[in-house]
Amino acid sequence: MQLAHSKHGKYLLIQAEGRLDASWSDLFSETLLKYIREGEHQVLVDASGLNFLSSAGIRSLLIVHKELLKVGGTFRLVRPTDFVRDTITVTGFGEWLRSDFPGDFPAESGEAGVLAHPDREHYVLAGDSGLTLIRLDKLFEKISTSSGREKKIAFGVNDFGFGVGEAFQGADSADVSGGGEFVAAAGHVALQPPDERGRPDYLIAEKEYIPELKCRQMLKYSGDMSHIFRFKPIDESPANEISKIIDTVFDLTGADAAGFVVLGEIEGLVGASLVHSADMSRRDDFLAWPDVRDRLSFCGERSYAHEQALITGIAARGERREDFTALYPMPSRPDLSVHIHAVVFPYQPLPNGRLELKSSVSRFFGGPPPRAVMHLIDDARPAIGLGESALIRGACWCGPVLNPEVLL
Amino acid sequence: MSLIIGAFTMGLILSLLSLGMLISFRMIRFMDITVDGSITLGASLAAVLISAGWNPWVATLAAMGGGFLAGAVTGLLHARFKIPELLSGILVMTALYSVNLRVMGRSNIPLLDVPSVSAAMETFIAFMSGGAEKINTLGWMISSTDLATFLTTLFICILIGTLLFRFLLTHLGTALRAAGDNAQMVLAQGLNNKTMIIFSLALANGLVALSGALLAQYQGFADVQMGIGMMVWGLASIIIGEALVGKAGLGLAITGTILGTILFRLLIAIALRWGLNPNDLKLVTALFVFAALVAPSWIATLKKKISGGSRYAQN
Amino acid sequence: MLKINGIRKTFLPNTPNEVRALREVSLHIKEGSFTAVIGTNGSGKSTLLNAVAGTFEPDAGSIHLNNLDITRWPEYRRAHLVGRVFQNPFAGTAPGMTIAENIVISMHRGKSRGLGTAVTRSVRDEIADRVRVLKMGLEDRLDNPIGTLSGGQRQALTLLMATWLRPKLLLLDEHTAALDPKSAAKISELTKDIVDHEKLTALMVTHSMQQAVDLPNRIIMMHRGNIVEDVHGDQKTRVRVPDLMAAFDRIAKRDLFDESVATLLARQYG
Ligand SMILES: Nc1ncnc2c1ncn2[C@@H]1O[C@H](COP(=O)(O)OP(=O)(O)OP(=O)(O)O)[C@@H](O)[C@H]1O
Ligand SMILES: [Mg+2]
């Protein structure tokens, strides 16, 4: 089988020639899934050269169809040969058989082999809204009674953030080990219970239920996001580093401090995660070499390439501000102070355009379970540094932080 | 004709040496050089004891015991003191040279006018034939002493061969063979493979010494030099035996070794008759063993070349 | 049952090539439990098994089996209590001897071996019956040298031999690693059958995470001569291949965590 593609307006036209059978079906679906990943969600297959279609071939068409359904795309077979049309009709999959091109298919012939990259697009959501920053930090405080350490915090639909805590188990629950790292976004919480060793758990707001965590440390920003923008690989540089995304956040919001949520395909994440939190009473002891190796785990390499990340973070630019105590300067970009956490999910396609934040987060939490929760670190060590985390493509919601942080 | 019967008798006697080496070389795969010393030990012990008036059978058994001990010492040096196998053998062989001189008190003991293990057979034959000098055996005229020696040796050989065969099929014998085949497996099966090695070498050298004791009685003397090169002889015999009957099966291995030794002895007798200088005998033997060791791989390459050539011819 | 207390083993001590293969390893194994040992290459798994089997004496520490202190017992004596199957399918059988002879040797593991005939008719029948269970057609080939069999067949026989007389402890060192996938699966299944049926106490080194999840009821993980994970009980019931992979991942990450990382994190963590 031969596959060729060309771009016609918003449509990607695939020229398929030869047999679509068991020996070619994997190649066919893999190729098309790759285009879908790259954001081509309007796909037409020119089947005029397709002289055979087996059940394995139909299955591969279905795989592509289902993937496009997830992102609200279209998938059509155009100009099928008689054999292909009969096969599809007889087997009952006729609904996506269209013998002619859609009305908005451009008349002039497309540019063969070139995939178009629309410019970085952005939308204004609610221009005047802003985020409130709330911080709880009992992590490194020595408090004699352990009950005084945690605070119960609810994470509703308009709350975003991260911290260390554990799922609330009712008022009379026994004393706890100290909890694990969590990331919260739009009524969804992913958390890594320390004793579970690499199997994050998650909580989702539904009906009356709002996830509540007993937190020892947390940074939460609440309110409506003001902007959303989409990012893609631009020409030579396939990666959108976190700092690049943050620059755009500041461009759009015009603020000096902003909160953001990113959903996107990972190029590589660099960060650490909490393994043991029980002995977090003094920051310096906790981070002291070599025992820190038993408490924190550092990724050691750029990880989770081509999976999806849900990232929540706060960033401030300019001079380090006293009212944002939980932000740390990025070694490679001293003008930016940030605190960013991420949850990693197995890959799922993301629709194009202006996405709604809550439903997009729900989409991720509704799929296969999260794989990891981590604190993103800018690794600027000379020579051996892993650099900063980067994404390939995705969406970023952001909003200005209006008031100084509120300490709980 | 006495030449042929002599070669046969000699072959039978030496086949006991080969059987001993079959155990050390083939069964437990131990390059045992003790052989050169222990065959002399057997000869000298038998000679001294028989001269001292012992019953030849008892003297022969005692000689066998001496070889048994010598083998055990080699095994001990290797297994307990971790001395490489060749060196263990060389040490014991060297030591045995002095031991043998001590045993004999000089370098050579003649055995003239003393009874040998074939004495009983001689009496029996004399009784049967009415004391004739020469006896018609299957049409050949053979001296009655030669015939008696031949028959006695044949009897001993068959007896030892059968006993060895039965022994190797017992639990102990099976374990012994396994120890040579796969030491790791033997350990994992709860067998002390060091003990197995010591025991096997003792057994092997016991047979070698038996061979030496019979040899001394047959030749009529024991000499401190008589062991030199015996190991290579035994090896040559084993190789010929394997060529004759193959390696499949214990019974075949034992029979083959006996037949191989006899055949080798016959070949030598014929070669000597044709004028081979006896001084060259050991060189010829060594060359023969060398050829037997390298021939298999030569033949394999040769075969490959031939079949390779024919493939080109087809194209 | 098996109590390993603080054993240490250093190979080539006081040389540049010194390897601390076991550093204070302690492990207690209950009667009737089946434990898998996993870990990176060179982490000391085989060394641990060899210490129990008696290939060498540990530099320090003690090993008790069945309430006997076997620390100073020679290898062959421990074999009276311990059955072993090696990674190399050729290591456990004597190739030049017949199937029946090999098995007879194992039928007398730890017993005295006299001058009785080894393979008698009744013994042959007994062997044929047990070998038939393997469904490899070997019962008809009892007089063939074992060297003529395939690796999988030899490994099946080795397993049979190691367990013929119920051992107090069965040691399996990657015993399916050198086999083709089909034979490996078969041996794996056979192992489970035998261990379950005979209620054996077993210690199995494996690189197959699936095998570690499927067969045993406890998993220990070794790294650089230490036991770094011990999964048993409820935890073992729910552990899956990805959890074990994650454990390897954690260890790899910990190795990469050096002082410069600690400094890096100290600047950005809170
Ligand atoms: N006899 C020996 N002499 C020297 N070093 C040895 C010896 N045996 C093992 N080692 C070393 O000890 C360490 C542990 O080896 P061991 O065989 O126990 O590892 P393992 O966990 O079984 O690895 P693998 O998964 O590769 O089998 C290795 O570094 C190895 O090189
Ligand atoms: Mg190993």
Side-chain angles (χ1 to χ4, degrees), chain B residues 3-19:
Chain B
L3 177 83
I4 290 188
I5 193 95
F8 260 96
T9 311
M10 192 72 170
L12 282 172
I13 290 174
L14 289 178
S15 70
L16 295 173
L17 161 98
S18 307
L19 285 180

Side-chain angles (χ1 to χ4, degrees), chain C residues 156-177:
Chain C
L157 288 174
T158 310
L159 190 59
L160 207 60
M161 287 165 59
T163 55
W164 195 285
L165 297 180
R166 187 175 181 279
K168 293 281 174 241
L169 177 68
L170 177 63
L171 298 178
L172 309 165
D173 190 352
E174 296 183 44
H175 68 305
T176 61

Side-chain angles (χ1 to χ4, degrees), chain C residues 40-47 50 87 173-174 205 207:
Chain C
T40 42
N41 289 124
S43 55
K45 305 180 297 293
S46 300
T47 309
N50 290 341
Q87 174 175 1
D173 190 352
E174 296 183 44
V205 175
H207 279 293

